[in-house]
Amino acid sequence: MKTIGFIGLGLIGGSIAKAIRKFHPDYHILAYARHKETLAAALNSGVIDGVLEKEDERYKICDYVFLCAPVEYNIEYLKYLKTVISDSCIITDAGSVKGPIHEAVEKLEMDHCFIGGHPMAGSERSGFSNSSDHLLENAYYILTPGGQVSLNKLTEFSELVDSLGAIPMVLTAEEHDFITAGVSHLPHIIASSLVNLISSLDNDAEYMKTIAAGGFRDITRIASSSPVMWQQICLENTKNISTVLDEYIRMLIQIRCSVDNKDADQLYQLFAASRDYRDSIDVTSCGLITKAYVLYLDIVDEAGGIATIATILAMDNISIKNIGIIHNREFEQGVLKIEFYEEDAMKRGAALLKKRNYIVYER
Ligand SMILES: NC(=O)c1ccc[n+]([C@@H]2O[C@H](COP(=O)([O-])OP(=O)(O)OC[C@H]3O[C@@H](n4cnc5c(N)ncnc54)[C@H](O)[C@@H]3O)[C@@H](O)[C@H]2O)c1
Ligand SMILES: O=C(O)C(=O)C[C@]1(C(=O)O)C=C[C@@H](O)C=C1
């Protein structure tokens, strides 16, 4: 039996708490969050057992404290925690940047009890209501132990992460911040700047926005992420982001030259090399991103059409996560998009619907 404290209970804090509740139902979970409604929802749904105040003596009984507020705010809690936690407590965070919190931890001489944490899973949505007990499933969970952390503590925390279905990986804070600048921070900047570019190039009738199809959507989903979170990440990982941005700008200039010069070989190389590298990425370990089990199907637009499909699936105990009509260039007529919770449910659903002569697209 362990006691786990949370400060911040949004998408990530909520998902970690839900996973702990699922895999360790006997653990005692306490939380502090700025919004009382969040705490009420977590308490009512049984995810947490009790509510903490911002400063609260009960941090003393915690075996772990998870800091799950935006990066800069997490640092503000360390000073107080230092005065209350027990010797055996492990403080961890979920922040997307590790350098600044490790600097603060060292200054406060807390690096014997701090293990930075960063689940490489997430979503463009925020808040406890969007958290889920399977967000961490198969996701790499980076651990950045403080310089004085004992091997026992690191092993214990690593085992906890593993028990939640995630894959622990130990890195230094410096390695972490350079790597995430490349694979996470730069992609968010690219997505947001591309969306802003299109918004400024579009005409009054918004033709670009109207016809934007799969390509634009795929590369810009993350442009809907929390502006506060990304503002803080850019302010905290400035040097690494600037370095990878420089490399990216250099590459874009090369590409513009290839386009201007109609350099067929260079252009082919651009797309062939990216395809080969992208196809070599192991897509089984990407948190929620790969957990979208979706089918598309043609249906006649008539009253009761959707209800009939929902009934066919429900009769086989198949739950639908999301359902809606989508219109875009890929599917000229518009199709019904059905999202499932699990791959097996999606496969069974596809088979059932095909048997009833629906045209089903699986992708
Ligand atoms: N969103 C992602 O995809 C993702 C993935 C991995 C890690 N992270 C990191 O996890 C952390 C939380 O991100 P999130 O996506 O859960 O954000 P979120 O907005 O969903 O949740 C943030 C939580 O922190 C609380 N909060 C905000 N300011 C606070 C403060 N000053 N004191 C206490 N609580 C405060 C909010 O009320 C909310 O409960 C961030 O550090 C982020 O860098 C995010
Ligand atoms: O899937 C998403 O929406 C995410 O942006 C998740 C994502 C990322 O992959 O960049 C975002 C921030 C993190 O710190 C970790 C994961």
Side-chain angles (χ1 to χ4, degrees):
M1 223 287 270
K2 300 259 180 218
T3 300
I4 320 273
F6 280 87
I7 294 180
L9 204 62
L11 177 82
I12 299 301
S15 297
I16 298 172
K18 286 178 180 176
I20 293 175
R21 174 57 75 231
K22 176 175 168 188
F23 292 106
H24 304 281
D26 56 328
Y27 281 16
H28 192 59
I29 307 180
L30 304 170
Y32 164 72
R34 274 185 321 171
H35 301 292
K36 296 280 166 267
E37 308 81 57
T38 301
L39 292 168
L43 207 51
N44 290 337
S45 55
V47 174
I48 63 171
D49 302 291
V51 166
L52 291 167
E53 296 299 322
K54 194 170 180 180
E55 300 200 347
D56 195 311
E57 281 292 304
R58 283 171 302 160
Y59 287 112
K60 193 181 289 173
I61 59 165
C62 292
D63 297 288
Y64 291 90
V65 177
F66 280 82
L67 298 167
C68 298
V71 180
E72 197 186 310
Y73 303 132
N74 284 336
I75 295 175
E76 293 170 15
Y77 288 93
L78 291 171
K79 221 185 218 164
Y80 172 71
L81 287 174
K82 186 181 176 181
T83 65
V84 277
I85 55 162
S86 71
D87 283 348
S88 59
C89 177
I90 295 173
I91 301 181
T92 183
D93 74 325
S96 307
V97 186
K98 293 270 97 72
I101 196 157
H102 275 276
E103 265 172 43
V105 159
E106 268 173 44
K107 257 193 211 137
L108 290 163
E109 297 183 350
M110 295 173 76
D111 51 359
H112 61 287
C113 63
F114 181 80
I115 303 177
H118 183 197
M120 288 306 295
S123 150
E124 71 283 12
R125 305 208 180 101
S126 313
F128 181 77
S129 57
N130 287 303
S131 63
S132 82
D133 65 10
H134 56 275
L135 181 71
L136 306 181
E137 206 175 287
N138 291 328
Y140 281 100
Y141 194 122
I142 314 298
L143 307 181
T144 58
Q148 304 297 320
V149 162
S150 69
L151 194 56
N152 271 352
K153 274 197 165 122
L154 181 59
T155 308
E156 191 194 307
F157 186 44
S158 181
E159 283 172 4
L160 176 68
V161 166
D162 182 66
S163 73
L164 304 179
I167 308 163
M169 178 191 269
V170 178
L171 293 176
T172 65
E174 293 75 27
E175 284 173 321
H176 169 277
D177 287 355
F178 179 69
I179 293 169
T180 53
V183 298
S184 176
H185 308 168
L186 180 65
H188 277 78
I189 291 170
I190 293 171
S192 295
S193 51
L194 177 60
V195 168
N196 292 341
L197 174 73
I198 295 308
S199 160
S200 72
L201 293 179
D202 210 354
N203 62 10
D204 289 346
E206 296 194 319
Y207 282 174
M208 283 183 166
K209 187 179 183 180
T210 308
I211 65 169
F216 186 77
R217 283 165 203 230
D218 280 356
I219 194 179
T220 59
R221 172 184 64 81
I222 53 177
S224 298
S225 301
S226 156
V228 175
M229 175 176 141
W230 285 99
Q231 174 202 46
Q232 289 206 357
I233 289 172
C234 291
L235 293 175
E236 303 269 333
N237 201 21
T238 317
K239 205 166 152 284
N240 287 310
I241 293 177
S242 184
T243 303
V244 292
L245 258 178
D246 265 350
E247 289 297 313
Y248 186 60
I249 292 164
R250 200 176 53 76
M251 199 176 255
L252 282 181
I253 292 170
Q254 268 177 5
I255 294 168
R256 196 190 59 195
C257 285
S258 305
V259 171
D260 287 348
N261 297 336
K262 298 191 186 299
D263 187 331
D265 286 347
Q266 286 290 329
L267 289 168
Y268 180 83
Q269 266 316 310
L270 162 71
F271 296 110
S274 70
R275 179 198 55 198
D276 293 348
Y277 188 68
R278 179 66 180 79
D279 288 352
S280 72
I281 293 176
D282 172 11
V283 289
T284 58
S285 58
C286 305
L288 267 193
I289 304 167
T290 53
K291 300 287 175 303
Y293 301 114
V294 175
L295 288 181
Y296 300 88
L297 66 153
D298 273 330
I299 54 162
V300 184
D301 190 10
E302 61 187 15
I306 293 179
T308 308
I309 287 162
T311 310
I312 293 171
L313 297 174
M315 276 166 40
D316 218 54
N317 288 325
I318 298 174
S319 308
I320 295 172
K321 185 174 177 191
N322 219 328
I323 192 161
I325 301 280
I326 63 160
H327 298 275
N328 68 27
R329 224 177 353 193
E330 274 174 286
F331 300 110
E332 282 172 15
Q333 310 296 325
V335 291
L336 187 70
K337 176 181 175 181
I338 310 178
E339 194 176 339
F340 301 85
Y341 286 97
E342 293 134 19
E343 189 177 11
D344 175 58
M346 180 190 74
K347 284 187 175 155
R348 284 191 295 125
L352 274 174
L353 292 165
K354 280 181 194 164
K355 224 161 133 189
R356 303 267 188 146
N357 296 326
Y358 285 94
I359 299 171
V360 179
Y361 307 95
E362 296 167 70
R363 44 184 65 221

